[in-house]
Structures are given as structure tokens and as C-alpha cells.
Amino acid sequence: MGLSGLLFVFVAPLTLYRLFILDWQVFALDVYLIGSAALIFTCAYRQQYIVFSKLYMCLLVSLGSAMTVLLGGAHQVYWIYPASLTMFFLTSTRVAYLYVLLMCALIIPTLQASLTTLEFINIFVALFGTTFFINVFANEIKSENRNLDLLATQDFLTKSGNRRAFDHALEMTLKESVILNTPSCLIVIDIDNFKLLNDNHGHSVGDAVLKHLVKSAQTVLRKTDTVYRIGGEEFAILMEDASLDDARGLAEKIRQTIEADSAKATPYYTISLGIAALVSGENGCDWLNRADKAMYEAKRSGKNRVVANT
Ligand SMILES: Nc1nc2c(ncn2[C@@H]2O[C@H](COP(=O)(O)OP(=O)(O)OP(=O)(O)O)[C@@H](O)[C@H]2O)c(=O)[nH]1
């Protein structure tokens, strides 16, 4: 988003200048660039078509740099270095190398025509050295970012999503349900008598139960559903594009799986589940409250059951 914003801000005044001096060829190129920058900015802002935006940005950068060399001459070749750097941070190594090769293929005839063999070789040796080191550093930064992302969004004990990830997913599901006009459901799960289980078997066994619950639930979830730990022994599952009946079916399947399997891996335990289908116009907090209420209703009416908020 930042990159497309910068591109827009820098190129827009140049576009007006080209119009002013009636340089139609470069004016058309600049209009294309700022139009594309605006499109990419909009996609990134709405968090839609992110992969497309990144690939398109790479194409713009590589073609833009190549065009600069083709129109401006061989002395503009230095633009290919920042362009390569940008591509390695925007996309995967393989795709970035493809864009770099595309850029090189486009400028080679111009460079060959106006540079000595030694200058030509120097430029490409420097380019491949630069891309190699950029690749190494970009991969390291990407891997650190992935680790940070996991730390920020994953529950350390159960490896399910954490509360922060849940809050984000809840907002995204709300937005998508409104835009796509699809039903969504929320399941809240709470372990029954967990304090007693901890008291009787110890905290580490309690931890094993929490992990078991997540693993068991994951065996019956659809590919698109995710489990989040939203409190000590409270979990939630967001189901996009699912009716209340779908959610009731899944919740009952999870309850039965836990009831049947828990004693094989951990002390026998059961869970209570509450479900709420998203009501048009409500916010995430109200939706979660209704699912929570249904879960407490399941507790009040005897535990080890599923209750839907209707
Ligand atoms: N082992 C373990 N226990 C935890 C963790 N987080 C919260 N707890 C325990 O979870 C228990 C929750 O107890 P309560 O809220 O009283 O609920 P409960 O005993 O399950 O009772 P009901 O909800 O009525 O079935 C507390 O004893 C917490 O110490 C954790 O990460 N590990």
C-alpha cells in the first residue's frame, strides 16, 4: 500500500509536467503508472486481491525500470537496482528472479548498443551480486516476520489462534458476510468442570486437555474453519458461509468426538457449546455475547450439550 501510495505521489506531479510540455509519449506512460498505483492502493486498502496487487506492482516496477532505460538511454541503468530490491521484498524468490530476468531481457539490446563490453559485464555482475544479497536478506526478514506473526497470533500452549487473531478474524468475517451476503456462524466451546479437573489431576494434565480439545476439534472441522482460544478454557470457531444447522451439526460432532475419545488420551472430560448465527447489522461484540449466552445456557441446563441462540 505504501509503495503504491509513494508511486502515485511521486509520479502525479511529473504527469502534470509532461502534459504541460506536451510530451505525450511519457505522459501516457505516467497516466498508466498512476492509474495502476491507484488500483493497487485500493486493493491493498480493502485487503482484497493482495497476491494480484503484489504481482502487478512487480510488473509495474520491472516494466517501468526497463522503459526508463529504453527511453532515457543506458545511463538510466541504475534504476534496475532499486527495482530488483523492491521485487524481492514483494514476492517469492522465484517470481522475483523471473521479473529481474524480464527486466534484463528488455534492456540488454539498448545496453549492448551503447556500452563497452567491460561496462556491460560490470553492470550485470553487479546486478547478480546485488540480487543474491537482497535475496538472502529478504528471506531472512520474511522468515522473522513469519515468526513474529505466529507469536502475535498463535496461542503458545495449544497452537490454535489466539484472542488477537480471533478479534481480527471476527471483524473480517463480519465484513465478508455483509459484502458477499452469506450466512456465518460462531461456536463457543467451554470445558466442563475444568477447575475440578485441574484440582484432581494437576495443571499439566489440564494443559494436555486443552491441547487435546484443539486437536480433536481440528479433525472434524471444515478446511475453512479455524479454532481460536479466546480465554483460559474457552474456545471459539468461526464458520463462514454456514447456516445455523451446519454449525449445529459441526458442534454436535465435536462434542461427540470429545466425549468418545477424551478418556483414551487424557482424563475423561466433556464440553458445552453455544452457537449464534450472525444477525444482519450486529457488531462482533454482540455476536460473541449471544454465542457466549448460548454456551452458558448449555452449562445451566446440564453441561455436555449444544445450545443455539435463536
Ligand atoms: N491447566 C490450565 N488451567 C487453566 C488454564 N487457563 C485457565 N485454567 C483454569 O480453568 C479453570 C476455569 O474454571 P471455572 O471458570 O471455574 O470453570 P469450570 O471449573 O470449568 O466450571 P464450569 O465452567 O461451570 O464447568 C480455572 O481453574 C483456571 O485456573 C491453562 O492454561 N491451563
Side-chain angles (χ1 to χ4, degrees), residues 76-300:
Q76 298 281 3
V77 74
Y78 302 106
W79 285 107
I80 64 177
Y81 297 100
S84 310
L85 190 144
T86 310
M87 287 182 276
F88 278 93
F89 280 93
L90 276 180
T91 183
S92 67
T93 305
R94 209 175 300 169
V95 177
Y97 270 122
L98 279 178
Y99 279 115
V100 171
L101 287 177
L102 168 73
M103 195 166 62
C104 292
L106 290 172
I107 62 173
I108 278 174
T110 305
L111 296 185
Q112 261 178 338
S114 49
L115 296 178
T116 65
T117 310
L118 190 63
E119 284 169 333
F120 183 82
I121 292 173
N122 265 342
I123 282 172
F124 283 100
V125 170
L127 177 65
F128 287 113
T130 311
T131 49
F132 173 76
F133 285 110
I134 294 170
N135 180 19
V136 171
F137 292 129
N139 280 344
E140 206 148 294
I141 290 172
K142 280 180 198 167
S143 140
E144 275 171 20
N145 280 346
R146 270 195 298 274
N147 287 342
L148 282 177
D149 200 43
L150 267 188
L151 280 176
T153 57
Q154 194 181 59
D155 175 52
F156 182 72
L157 177 69
T158 61
K159 309 287 180 240
S160 60
N162 66 10
R163 180 67 199 232
R164 173 201 279 256
F166 173 73
D167 287 344
H168 178 70
L170 192 70
E171 287 310 313
M172 295 307 291
T173 307
L174 273 170
K175 270 191 199 166
E176 270 173 32
S177 278
V178 172
I179 293 171
L180 304 173
N181 195 23
T182 49
S184 291
C185 281
L186 181 57
I187 303 176
V188 168
I189 306 173
D190 192 280
I191 302 175
D192 297 327
N193 310 315
F194 194 50
K195 184 175 181 319
L196 197 64
L197 192 146
N198 264 330
D199 292 345
N200 289 343
H201 299 277
H203 215 75
S204 56
V205 173
D207 286 354
V209 165
L210 293 169
K211 289 191 219 169
H212 177 264
L213 166 59
V214 171
K215 269 202 172 157
S216 302
Q218 279 166 345
T219 61
V220 290
L221 288 187
R222 303 179 307 177
K223 273 193 185 138
T224 47
D225 305 330
T226 312
V227 188
Y228 300 91
R229 187 177 180 197
I230 58 171
E233 22 71 274
E234 196 168 338
F235 295 85
I237 297 169
L238 269 169
M239 294 182 73
E240 285 180 54
D241 199 9
S243 68
L244 199 60
D245 279 343
D246 296 332
R248 210 193 302 262
L250 181 76
E252 187 54 40
K253 217 167 166 184
I254 296 173
R255 188 199 67 74
Q256 285 173 7
T257 306
I258 298 285
E259 192 181 24
D261 292 350
S262 65
K264 292 176 198 158
T266 60
Y268 171 76
Y269 70 94
T270 58
I271 53 175
S272 296
L273 304 96
I275 314 168
L278 179 63
V279 172
S280 132
E282 79 178 332
N283 61 31
C285 201
D286 293 340
W287 190 17
L288 179 59
N289 278 342
R290 288 193 304 107
D292 240 348
K293 261 190 187 169
M295 186 274 292
Y296 283 117
E297 184 53 38
K299 292 259 180 196
R300 262 195 302 276

